[in-house]
Amino acid sequence: MNMTLTSPQRAENIDGKAAARRLLAEVAAECRAFVDQGHHPTLAVVLVGDDPASQVYVRNKLRTAEEVGIRSLEYRFPANLSESELLATLDKLNLDPLVNGILVQLPLPRHINEQAILRAIDPLKDVDGFHPENVGGLVHGQAVLTPCTPAGCLRLLQDYCGDLSGKHAVVVGRSNIVGKPMAALLLKAHCSVTTLHSRSQDAAALAAQADILIAAVGQPEMIDASWIKPGAVVIDVGINRVTRANGSSRLVGDVDAASVSTVAAALTPVPGGVGPMTIACLMQNTLQATRLQTASAVLSHCG
Ligand code: NDP
């Protein structure tokens, strides 16, 4: 008797660490080329206060910059720094021709207006891609500096799927740093895009129509198999620390990986998926900023 044993499908693992290593190797090669031409690409990282998660993020960014040969400058300030003092620092960095990228680590202390700070960064040095001029350029489909996390998600998708043209992509979340720029990038890549948020009705049913699902909600393991079309590709942006019954903690995404991997074709892990790509894209943006500034200097010289 012939008997076929069926076991639940396990989604393919989309390895963000490996993809980030490949991207960083490209960045390192381009960085060496700049250094050979006499300019050392430089990233200034500004940290205000002592938020423990921000300290870890900044440490990782500085370490990666060093690994790829990007020079980094670190500006650490106490939490009581005034907004005008921070603006004065940004003015100096904007004017310094040796600084190519400026990153202000968020969140900022509550007394500082985050929008005012993001607007004060020269758009050509805005390696986070949060300046309104870059956000507008992204929506217009221009080659501007683009937020790192969605740029990393797009690269993972293009590596895995190839051409995204005509795919239905659902983005769950509409924040300025992930959801909205993600939707704009997918539209630019010729996807049909649906954005869901906390007021969406029948969100799971809408999500279950997606060929590509991006989860960026900040709710631990909220998205289970009922949100997923069989064979969909799922990118989990979420990073949530949850406490186990025994008091220890672990990181989980916004996707319930055990449930979703029985339905999806492929899924990014947490950790080791989108996170490493975010940092790699920051390095890539620093080089793109260096290129944009070189082009703009040539133009102003000629003009
Ligand atoms: P925000 O809190 O700024 O935004 C969350 C979004 O999810 C909002 O648009 C919100 O809707 C929506 N949302 C919340 N609950 C629901 C729900 N039940 N159904 C549908 N939509 C919902 O988060 P971020 O965008 O900053 O981050 C999202 C996740 O990504 C977090 O886990 C964060 O830690 C992680 N992250 C990871 C990065 C990485 O490098 N891997 C980088 C940045 C973020 P509404 O607008 O209506 O409130």
Side-chain angles (χ1 to χ4, degrees), residues 81-91 111-113 117:
L81 181 81
S82 71
E83 187 173 309
S84 57
E85 286 170 314
L86 181 52
L87 288 169
T89 301
L90 294 178
D91 276 349
H111 65 277
I112 296 180
N113 179 339
I117 296 304

Side-chain angles (χ1 to χ4, degrees), residues 6 107 114 122 134 138 155 186 214 239 260-261 286-287 292:
T6 53
E114 210 163 272
D122 178 346
N134 286 326
L138 172 62
R155 180 139 175 155
L186 289 164
I214 316 278
I239 303 180
V260 165
S261 65
T286 305
L287 278 247
L292 290 170

Side-chain angles (χ1 to χ4, degrees), residues 118-119 121-124 126 129-140 142 144-145:
L118 297 180
R119 275 197 304 272
I121 297 173
D122 178 346
L124 287 181
D126 170 36
F130 295 156
H131 190 286
E133 204 172 302
N134 286 326
V135 175
L138 172 62
V139 174
H140 279 234
Q142 294 162 0
V144 289
L145 291 164

